[in-house]
Amino acid sequence: MNAIFQKVYDFVDERIGLKTLEAKLMNEPIKGGSRWAYVFGSCLLFIFIMQAITGMLLMFYYIPSADHAYASTQFIIHEVDYGWFILSYHFWGSSAMVVMVFAHMSQVFLWGAYKKPREMIWLVGLVLFVIVMAFGFTGYLLPWDQRAYWATTVGVEIMDKTPIVGDFLARFLKGGPTPGQMTLSRFFVIHVMILPAALMGLAGLHLFFFRSAGPAGPFRGTTEELKAKTDFFFPRQVWKDIVAMAAVFMIICTLAFIEPVQLLEQATPDPGEYHPEPEWYFLFLFQMLRWKIFSGEFGQFLGAIAIPGLFLLLLAALPFIDRSPERNIFKRPIALLSWTVVMIGIVVLTVSAILNREFLD
Amino acid sequence: MAHPVENLSSIKLAWAVAWSAFWTGFPFKLIVALLLLAGQVHPWEGAGLVTLLVVSIPIDIWAVGLTARTVFLERLSMEIRGPVGVSLWWQGAVLGALVLGGAYYAVGTTVAVGQKVAAAIIALIKKFYPALPIAEQITLELLLWTIPTAIVLLVFVLLWLHLFGWRVKRVVVASGQTSSASFVERVRQWDYARVPADPTLVLVSFAGVIVTLTVVFWVLLPVTTPTPHPDYPLQQVQKASKPVKPEELINKTEATLKKAEAVLAALEKEKSRETTKGKSK
Amino acid sequence: MGSVQPKIKSKVRCVDGEVGEVAHVIADPLSLDVSHIVVRANGTERQVPVSAIGAVRDDAVQLTCNVAQFSGFPELEREDYVSSKEVEIPHLEDRIRVEPGEVLVPLPVLEKNCARRSFFAGFIKVIGALIGLPLVWPVLRFIMKPMYVPYDNHWIKIGNISKIKTDDVGVQYIFKKSFKDSVLEREEDKNHWLVKASPETLKKIYRHGDITFYDEKGAVVWVNNQTVPYVAFSGKCPHLGCGYKWRSHKTRGQVFLCPCHLSIYDATGMVLDGPAPRSLDVLPIKVAASGDIEIIDVEYKAGKKEQVRIA
């Protein structure tokens, strides 16, 4: 058996240089040694792969038609063996993806790993961040229940407020002036074809840039210390990555187990008793738009488009503004303070949105 | 001359030990928590919480010992004799209980007072600005009482770290021995401390545990949703219940048995014939 | 000394004479500078730190030590190094070019113990199983849900015998079949062929006796017998599932002919020619006094010698 495997391996190796390729992939020295702090990127890749697998499985039964989307999702939940679990895994996986994106970005930010020569990795990473959020937004509509319908309606109205292109963008997404079958078709195609293709391509580029520029390593320690602790990507970092992946996997399974997906009523243009709300990771933005300063046409533009847009632009410009080579976060007070303020802001606004529910009943 | 450990801040030292120890123990506790959940026991309350805490004790002792030795070896070039884990764990636990008690009281008071003060401030603002919108009010009120609470909490965390760091230093001073090994050698040493003496045994038992867990998972996982939608017309699987006729059943069984007996008898006959044949030969 | 670029094979000279030639260079993986050169002298390879290099010329490297000091340099432990081709260090090969030759990179101290590496490699596989294994069974069941549904044993009215004028001639009956298809309530046009059999034809069809139909558990659903002179043939060709027709053939006269692979059957359903492995499939049939025909839409697997019911 082993001999046959060896023969096949040698055959491939002779033609494409498998051994060298394998060595290149595995033997990447990690300055200062492998760390648990470096697992977030790999975990993101893992979550994405699992989302792709569960997503493909769901497409075995899902029907992207306004008449059947709700029924087929209910069919998956109630009739297909373990369908409820696959769907719930996919649902919680999307939340895990957003949490992990925040963790990954925070780690890179706090480690100062976006600085020269790794600016390109950071930029591609930001686009990936937007893609992950777009995944969440488009996937939310597909079950075609009240929650889905209303979150999408509000979300698209927000995009409509973008200057110049807003109207076009909203019509493009809705496939017309009002939500309907065309909206579902478009969201479906974006969710299952366009975004996965974009994410795969850009994640590949992200990794390629990462390998070309090399890992940043810890932000302190003498050369001797770093050298002494250095190890290769394989096996120690891979081991840490896979343990973290297993933990993520088990946590998502548990969440799916304790809190399975339950649909609301089928979507109708009457919200009835239901108070529309977006997915929890958009709640902070949603809550912010309830503030007085963001009322009126200009206020809306400010809160929904200008502030998030400028924030993203600021992130993109970060490696070019912050050019000091200092990477130690404890010597970058502005960076530490901004990160803390943003995180507290997001948490406080999310909690406010939850508290705000009391005032709606 | 002061002991080299005195040059380190106790908070930093305690943080280095406690933070890594927390994450070292985390995956094991996660598995325990998941097993409890799978058995429909909540690990955050009642018996589940007690179980989790009890199971955490040996895990934490091991984790604290491992990370403390690592920190001493790498940063202070010190080797420690004796059960570091146990000694640090109980001191940390006692300090933790004390600090937690204090924190429980202080944070509780801060929350209560903070919420009252926040409400008063909101009322005051509303007096001058009655049109204060609800969304702003919620966030403002939240900030007014969570900020002081967070500060109090942070103070207690720092207090615990400081006290724990002080105990860690005492342990180092009392039983630390300066290691003559180079930095590279010391890194190697703590790295090796993480490899089991018998890797194959560990791997095989791990694989066994995983296969068992997988089977448990398959058994526990419901095939259909545990939370069906109230309006969904669940198709009740109606098993065509065959009317059981006891007489028929008995007759059938008897017939089968008779058949089996006949077959057996035939087989025995053949066997005996074969043996006699063999003998005659 | 960071920019030393000694060439492979260039001569190495000590202050008191030539000792050998440059075999490899060793790079520092952090600074990406040459840290040592490996000098091959009398069959041994010694690693000489760059600090011992006085000057590098086109064809020779001048060391600052003498021959006696040179032989004090440690021998190269090849297994402690990997070639730059087997390790990914960005920009290393841009910085140090020693074609045709090898740049060696020291193996990190933590990677030198094989037992340690294999423990981790094993661990990775075991944890991988923790992720992969639990999904196998649920995913399999998920995919298999609609694959093995129970047979449909409903009687469907497909038309009236008044349509048939002549004996032993195939007549097509097209009918609508409605059914639940996942969440959809669908209706499809289907077709089967009926033959009003003459006594000889009927005898041929029932040459093996009555035709019995079973459900998936082996229980009898229906039995066709010779008292009914009407025979329904499934519209699915038993060769590979195409739709066949009643056609006139140049040499064989009126036959059932499948246009896909030219299987030919006579009015009794027996194969006259072509690749079909068995006769046409007979369906359960009931004919009411009014002449209404009802059938069960039984479906068999194509391409098999025996009938294997699938729906």
Side-chain angles (χ1 to χ4, degrees):
Chain A
M1 189 63 210
N2 265 341
I4 297 171
F5 179 78
Q6 191 60 43
K7 262 189 184 160
V8 173
Y9 185 92
D10 290 343
F11 175 89
V12 179
D13 181 45
E14 194 186 338
R15 280 151 185 86
I16 64 164
L18 195 59
K19 216 172 269 176
T20 317
L21 193 72
E22 218 179 88
K24 278 266 177 204
L25 283 177
M26 299 300 187
N27 298 342
E28 182 201 28
I30 296 178
K31 210 197 288 178
S34 57
R35 282 182 173 224
W36 291 102
Y38 303 158
V39 301
F40 301 117
S42 307
C43 279
L44 270 174
L45 190 63
F46 166 71
I47 299 174
F48 171 69
I49 291 169
M50 288 300 293
Q51 289 302 89
I53 293 172
T54 48
M56 282 184 238
L57 286 172
L58 291 172
M59 274 198 280
F60 275 53
Y61 297 101
Y62 177 75
I63 304 171
S65 114
D67 279 348
H68 302 112
Y70 181 78
S72 59
T73 312
Q74 289 286 41
F75 181 76
I76 292 172
I77 294 175
H78 294 93
E79 308 277 346
V80 183
D81 293 350
Y82 300 109
W84 71 274
F85 180 71
I86 306 276
L87 179 61
S88 302
Y89 188 99
H90 194 74
F91 172 81
W92 284 108
S94 80
S95 285
M97 189 103 175
V98 173
V99 171
M100 208 50 86
V101 163
F102 271 82
H104 187 49
M105 284 175 80
S106 295
Q107 194 257 332
V108 169
F109 181 83
L110 296 174
W111 256 245
Y114 54 84
K115 296 188 175 199
K116 193 184 172 189
R118 278 168 275 274
E119 302 97 320
M120 302 283 285
I121 316 175
W122 173 256
L123 287 178
V124 176
L126 279 179
V127 182
L128 285 168
F129 163 70
V130 174
I131 290 177
V132 167
M133 293 317 247
F135 256 120
F137 180 63
T138 49
Y140 212 56
L141 177 68
L142 304 184
W144 202 252
D145 66 347
Q146 289 288 56
R147 196 168 11 225
Y149 185 86
W150 290 101
T152 306
T153 304
V154 174
V156 175
E157 287 296 342
I158 286 176
M159 276 178 218
D160 184 65
K161 304 303 167 291
T162 316
I164 306 165
V165 293
D167 183 62
F168 176 82
L169 204 63
R171 280 170 192 269
F172 165 75
L173 281 174
K174 282 186 282 189
T178 51
Q181 175 60 50
M182 288 297 102
T183 322
L184 182 57
S185 294
R186 281 166 190 237
F187 273 58
F188 180 70
V189 165
I190 293 172
H191 189 78
V192 308
M193 286 301 304
I194 298 173
L195 292 178
L199 191 130
M200 279 189 262
L202 287 168
L205 199 64
H206 195 61
L207 276 174
F208 172 72
F209 285 167
F210 173 67
R211 280 301 181 104
S212 309
F219 49 69
R220 55 183 166 203
T222 63
T223 316
E224 280 69 41
E225 281 174 5
L226 295 185
K227 216 178 241 175
K229 289 179 167 184
T230 294
D231 53 20
F232 281 161
F233 175 66
F234 181 87
R236 249 159 270 224
Q237 187 64 49
V238 175
W239 169 69
K240 287 180 171 125
D241 287 352
I242 205 153
V243 169
M245 288 174 195
V248 167
F249 174 72
M250 290 193 289
I251 290 171
I252 297 176
C253 284
T254 311
L255 287 168
F257 199 79
I258 353 186
E259 204 66 45
V261 172
Q262 253 183 311
L263 298 188
L264 299 179
E265 304 303 307
Q266 182 158 9
T268 52
D270 165 29
E273 285 299 296
Y274 171 65
H275 301 304
E277 221 177 52
E279 184 54 329
W280 66 267
Y281 41 80
F282 288 117
L283 271 184
F284 73 97
L285 204 60
F286 175 75
Q287 183 67 11
M288 211 174 80
L289 293 181
R290 285 173 166 164
W291 286 359
K292 207 86 197 160
I293 41 163
F294 300 127
S295 58
E297 202 185 316
F298 179 71
Q300 267 179 7
F301 162 70
L302 200 66
I305 305 296
I307 291 179
L310 283 175
F311 182 70
L312 268 183
L313 274 181
L314 183 70
L315 284 183
L318 193 64
F320 308 101
I321 301 169
D322 179 16
R323 298 169 76 105
S324 123
E326 180 58 63
R327 285 183 43 220
N328 188 340
I329 185 63
F330 301 110
K331 292 177 182 163
R332 290 156 51 215
I334 301 175
L336 185 59
L337 191 70
S338 335
W339 181 81
T340 314
V341 166
V342 168
M343 285 300 147
I344 290 178
I346 290 175
V347 171
V348 164
L349 279 171
T350 308
V351 175
S352 301
I354 293 163
L355 292 176
N356 211 149
R357 286 177 189 156
E358 281 174 36
F359 294 86
L360 294 172
D361 290 325
Chain B
M1 203 183 98
H3 194 278
V5 75
E6 303 297 348
N7 297 332
L8 266 181
S9 124
S10 2
I11 292 184
K12 272 189 188 169
L13 186 61
W15 176 256
V17 173
W19 176 251
S20 350
F22 171 75
W23 286 108
T24 307
F26 179 75
F28 299 96
K29 295 180 199 172
L30 182 69
I31 290 175
V32 176
L34 291 184
L35 282 178
L36 286 173
L37 268 173
Q40 309 284 342
V41 181
H42 291 151
W44 54 82
E45 61 186 19
L49 184 63
V50 173
T51 314
L52 186 61
L53 286 179
V54 169
V55 174
S56 293
I57 294 173
I59 297 174
D60 283 337
I61 290 176
W62 166 76
V64 167
L66 188 68
T67 52
R69 278 175 208 281
T70 305
V71 170
F72 299 154
L73 201 57
E74 193 192 318
R75 298 211 184 163
L76 302 165
S77 167
M78 284 275 177
E79 273 181 291
I80 310 286
R81 293 279 149 83
V84 191
V86 176
S87 123
L88 282 182
W89 181 83
W90 78 258
Q91 296 187 56
V94 168
L95 288 173
L98 289 177
V99 172
L100 203 66
Y104 183 78
Y105 176 74
V107 170
T109 316
T110 318
V111 170
V113 174
Q115 280 180 337
K116 256 181 213 155
V117 173
I121 293 175
I122 295 292
L124 195 70
I125 294 174
K126 275 198 169 169
K127 213 176 229 174
F128 295 100
Y129 181 60
L132 179 68
I134 194 73
E136 279 88 339
Q137 186 198 314
I138 289 169
T139 305
L140 191 62
E141 210 173 328
L142 193 65
L143 280 174
L144 279 174
W145 68 266
T146 48
I147 288 176
T149 309
I151 290 172
V152 171
L153 205 60
L154 192 68
V155 167
F156 275 94
V157 170
L158 289 176
L159 177 68
W160 181 81
L161 282 175
H162 188 79
L163 292 172
F164 185 57
W166 163 61
R167 291 320 304 166
V168 173
K169 281 184 180 178
R170 294 280 73 74
V171 167
V172 177
V173 172
S175 48
Q177 282 179 327
T178 311
S179 160
S180 56
S182 68
F183 186 77
V184 176
E185 193 44 48
R186 270 147 48 206
V187 168
R188 231 173 119 98
Q189 272 179 28
W190 67 250
D191 189 57
Y192 267 61
R194 283 158 173 75
V195 183
D198 187 348
T200 323
L201 181 73
V202 170
L203 287 181
V204 169
S205 48
F206 237 81
V209 168
I210 282 166
V211 170
T212 318
L213 284 183
T214 301
V215 174
V216 169
F217 175 77
W218 287 347
V219 171
L220 286 176
L221 194 69
V223 180
T224 49
T225 181
T227 54
H229 195 267
D231 299 340
Y232 191 84
L234 270 180
Q235 287 163 2
Q236 294 298 324
V237 185
Q238 281 171 353
K239 280 184 187 164
S241 52
K242 273 187 188 164
V244 184
K245 289 174 190 161
E247 262 176 52
E248 234 175 59
L249 208 71
I250 290 166
N251 289 343
K252 221 179 172 182
T253 328
E254 267 176 12
T256 324
L257 280 173
K258 261 183 196 162
K259 245 190 217 165
E261 264 169 34
V263 170
L264 222 82
L267 273 175
E268 265 173 20
K269 225 179 188 178
E270 200 152 301
K271 212 180 177 186
S272 63
R273 208 188 307 156
E274 261 175 30
T275 44
T276 46
K277 251 191 211 167
K279 269 178 194 168
S280 64
K281 266 184 187 176
Chain C
M1 285 304 250
S3 54
V4 190
Q5 290 269 342
K7 283 189 182 140
I8 298 289
K9 300 236 163 150
S10 49
K11 300 282 171 242
V12 177
R13 291 195 189 99
C14 292
V15 282
D16 49 357
E18 192 175 307
V19 284
E21 57 176 31
V22 178
H24 312 289
V25 300
I26 296 174
D28 181 314
L30 284 189
S31 66
L32 307 188
D33 289 325
V34 174
S35 67
H36 298 78
I37 56 173
V38 176
V39 181
R40 187 180 297 125
N42 305 324
T44 56
E45 293 187 330
R46 293 184 189 283
Q47 49 184 101
V48 179
V50 282
S51 55
I53 296 176
V56 175
R57 294 191 206 89
D58 275 349
D59 56 343
V61 174
Q62 183 67 51
L63 301 182
T64 53
C65 59
N66 57 35
V67 174
Q69 283 167 321
F70 170 79
S71 41
F73 286 125
E75 280 189 34
L76 176 75
E77 304 278 353
R78 185 60 181 80
E79 65 274 16
D80 286 348
Y81 293 84
V82 283
S83 153
S84 65
K85 296 211 167 21
E86 294 164 352
V87 61
E88 181 143 295
I89 301 174
H91 309 302
L92 176 65
E93 277 151 337
D94 307 339
R95 290 280 296 270
I96 305 172
R97 275 182 232 97
V98 288
E99 298 293 331
E102 228 180 359
V103 177
L104 296 182
V105 181
L107 209 57
V109 181
L110 294 179
E111 298 296 348
K112 277 182 188 165
N113 185 303
C114 271
R116 185 80 224 269
R117 265 179 79 96
S118 57
F119 170 65
F120 276 114
F123 214 107
I124 289 165
K125 282 179 197 141
V126 171
I127 301 286
L130 173 65
I131 299 172
L133 212 55
L135 288 177
V136 174
W137 176 246
V139 166
L140 207 63
R141 286 279 299 269
F142 178 88
I143 292 169
M144 281 171 55
K145 173 66 184 175
M147 283 162 52
Y148 299 94
V149 289
Y151 303 152
D152 178 10
N153 288 324
H154 288 98
W155 288 96
I156 306 169
K157 202 187 140 209
I158 62 169
N160 196 285
I161 51 168
S162 58
K163 195 173 158 187
I164 306 176
K165 307 290 181 213
T166 329
D167 281 4
D168 298 342
V169 161
V171 179
Q172 190 176 27
Y173 278 77
I174 296 174
F175 61 99
K176 292 220 182 294
K177 185 185 176 186
S178 32
F179 55 101
K180 198 165 185 325
D181 194 358
S182 90
V183 298
L184 310 179
E185 296 290 348
R186 294 213 302 127
E187 199 179 66
E188 261 180 4
D189 278 347
K190 292 205 71 168
N191 83 95
H192 293 313
W193 291 83
L194 255 79
V195 169
K196 185 178 179 226
S198 60
E200 307 87 73
T201 307
L202 205 59
K203 210 180 262 172
K204 270 190 198 161
I205 291 171
Y206 285 97
R207 64 193 175 283
H208 301 304
D210 291 351
I211 302 172
T212 316
F213 300 90
Y214 302 92
D215 68 8
E216 54 271 296
K217 286 180 191 122
V220 175
V221 174
W222 181 255
V223 180
N224 278 356
N225 59 44
Q226 293 197 47
T227 54
V228 180
Y230 294 93
V231 178
F233 291 119
S234 164
K236 175 181 174 180
C237 172
H239 175 227
L240 285 172
C242 274
Y244 58 85
K245 293 269 156 37
W246 182 254
R247 283 277 181 280
S248 63
H249 189 272
K250 268 184 191 161
T251 55
R252 298 179 189 274
Q254 296 277 91
V255 291
F256 287 117
L257 179 108
C258 182
C260 288
H261 308 95
L262 305 181
S263 291
I264 298 171
Y265 313 85
D266 64 14
T268 70
M270 295 230 282
V271 182
L272 295 177
D273 197 4
R278 65 165 188 261
S279 311
L280 292 177
D281 299 318
V282 175
L283 301 179
I285 191 167
K286 271 200 272 195
V287 181
S290 61
D292 282 345
I293 310 161
E294 280 187 297
I295 55 111
I296 295 178
D297 193 22
V298 168
E299 189 172 337
Y300 298 98
K301 201 176 267 200
K304 289 260 185 198
K305 200 156 176 262
E306 293 81 33
Q307 287 180 329
V308 178
R309 188 170 173 188
I310 55 171

